[in-house]
């Protein structure tokens, strides 16, 4: 019966769901689906009425796709929030909140960059390379909504940094993106492990201050990225 809160999964057909017992259910006719994305609106609806929360598993994560709820309660919650969000006080609070988020993000980017430098620990002879690599990894990994390992809070920052650096090296200094990997359980993980070992070996040579082969894959990747960045800047200037 619909008159209880449920955690469900998307069903086999449109406007159907699957409950925790594996039963296929159809929400009542007067219900509508509210997509995830507006936290205050979702919380307001859930405080007003019975809801079915649609979730999906993605790896180890559980992702909310939205909720099914009675249309009247959804509309009432939307109207209430619209009135609240149209007030000057809300605009001031919102602006202050955005500033706090921007400041917090800027601090995190700085911390991540420094943690990346600490992880690289290159010999002073390769300090400039370390700085360029740390900036490149940080720029790629830290944007909000990027979905990278740097945005998770489930592991310590030094683990995030290591994963981000190895991922950058895998995509930029190896042929991983063009590899044909057989469809067999564990094959991709094994390839990544092998490439990670090669990347760690290259990093260790920079840490000990060795003279690297010319051209070095890392240097080539950084130079390619620099050229592409300049081309983008020039193209943007021309468009402006």
């Amino acid at each position: 019966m619909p008159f209880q809160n449920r955690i469900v999964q998307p069903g086999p057909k449109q406007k159907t769901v699957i409950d925790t017992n594996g039963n296929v259910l159809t929400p009542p006719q007067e219900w509508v689906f509210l997509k995830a994305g507006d936290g205050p609106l979702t919380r307001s609806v859930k405080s007003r009425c019975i809801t079915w929360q649609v979730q999906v598993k993605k790896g180890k994560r559980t992702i909310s796709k939205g909720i099914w709820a009675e249309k009247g309660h959804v509309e009432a919650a939307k109207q209430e929030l619209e009135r609240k969000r149209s007030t000057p006080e809300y605009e001031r609070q919102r602006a202050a909140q955005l500033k706090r988020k921007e400041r917090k993000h800027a601090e995190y980017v700085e911390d991540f960059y420094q943690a990346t430098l600490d992880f690289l620990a290159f010999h002073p002879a390769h300090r400039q390379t370390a700085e360029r690599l740390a900036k490149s990894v940080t720029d790629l990994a830290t944007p909000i909504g990027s979905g990278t390992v740097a945005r998770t809070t489930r592991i310590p920052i030094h683990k995030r940094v290591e994963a981000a650096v190895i991922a950058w090296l895998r995509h930029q200094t190896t042929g991983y993106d063009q590899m044909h990997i057989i469809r067999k359980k564990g094959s991709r993980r094994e390839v990544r492990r092998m490439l990670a070992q090669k990347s760690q070996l290259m990093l260790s040579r920079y840490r000990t201050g060795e003279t690297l082969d010319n051209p070095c894959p890392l240097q080539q990747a950084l130079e390619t990225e620099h050229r592409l960045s300049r081309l983008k800047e020039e193209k943007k200037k021309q468009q402006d």
Side-chain angles (χ1 to χ4, degrees), residues 1-239:
M1 60 186 300
F3 303 109
Q4 65 182 51
N5 292 314
R6 297 177 185 269
I7 301 295
V8 298
Q9 300 176 22
K13 296 181 180 180
Q14 190 175 14
K15 296 184 179 180
T16 64
V17 298
I18 302 174
D19 68 11
T20 54
N21 295 319
N23 300 312
V24 177
L25 306 176
T26 301
Q29 188 174 0
E30 66 273 16
W31 283 24
V32 294
F33 182 68
L34 177 64
K35 290 183 179 180
D38 190 331
L41 177 57
T42 298
R43 289 191 292 272
S44 179
V45 173
K46 291 175 74 172
S47 70
R48 292 167 179 265
C49 61
I50 299 297
T51 62
W52 292 358
Q53 185 171 350
V54 182
Q55 297 180 345
V56 295
K57 291 284 290 185
K58 188 173 183 181
K60 296 182 179 180
R61 295 187 299 161
T62 298
I63 301 174
S64 176
K65 304 298 289 184
I67 60 174
W68 282 96
E70 188 177 336
K71 182 177 180 179
H73 288 298
V74 173
E75 293 300 325
K78 286 182 177 180
Q79 292 174 9
E80 180 182 346
L81 277 179
E82 286 175 0
R83 288 194 297 270
K84 179 181 178 181
R85 289 169 174 172
S86 64
T87 63
E89 177 61 23
Y90 176 83
E91 290 296 328
R92 287 192 294 270
Q93 292 177 353
R94 179 62 176 165
Q97 183 183 45
L98 288 175
K99 286 184 178 180
R100 287 195 298 271
K101 286 185 176 181
E102 289 172 358
R103 182 170 61 251
K104 185 177 180 180
H105 175 65
E107 291 172 353
Y108 178 64
V109 170
E110 184 177 343
D111 290 344
F112 194 90
Y113 172 78
Q114 185 58 53
T116 305
L117 278 180
D118 294 341
F119 167 74
L120 294 175
F122 282 4
H123 187 277
H126 299 303
R127 175 70 183 185
Q128 185 177 11
T129 299
E131 292 175 348
R132 292 177 66 189
L133 177 56
K135 185 178 185 310
S136 182
V137 171
T138 300
D139 289 347
L140 180 66
T142 58
I144 296 173
S146 62
T148 66
V149 68
R151 299 306 312 179
T152 184
T153 58
R154 294 178 297 165
I155 58 176
I157 189 170
H158 69 277
K159 290 290 186 181
R160 293 175 235 164
V161 164
E162 181 177 3
V165 169
I166 295 302
W168 190 97
L169 292 172
R170 180 172 64 246
H171 290 289
Q172 303 299 329
T173 67
T174 75
Y176 176 76
D177 292 336
Q178 289 76 42
M179 284 184 180
H180 175 70
I181 301 175
I182 61 174
R183 287 182 167 276
K184 182 179 178 181
K185 186 176 181 180
S187 295
R188 186 169 296 276
R189 182 167 58 249
E190 178 61 23
V191 169
R192 289 188 174 192
R193 186 190 64 79
M194 178 190 67
L195 294 177
Q197 289 178 339
K198 290 185 177 181
S199 294
Q200 290 286 14
L201 178 61
M202 181 171 60
L203 292 176
S204 68
R205 297 179 68 187
Y206 275 95
R207 288 167 179 149
T208 58
E210 288 186 36
T211 300
L212 279 296
D213 298 334
N214 189 19
C216 170
L218 175 55
Q219 296 290 347
Q220 286 182 310
L222 290 172
E223 288 302 321
T224 298
E225 186 178 65
H226 179 66
R227 288 196 299 271
L228 292 175
S229 179
R230 291 192 62 179
L231 287 174
K232 287 181 180 179
E233 290 179 0
E234 291 175 0
K235 185 176 181 179
K236 185 178 180 181
K237 288 180 180 178
Q238 293 175 355
Q239 292 176 343

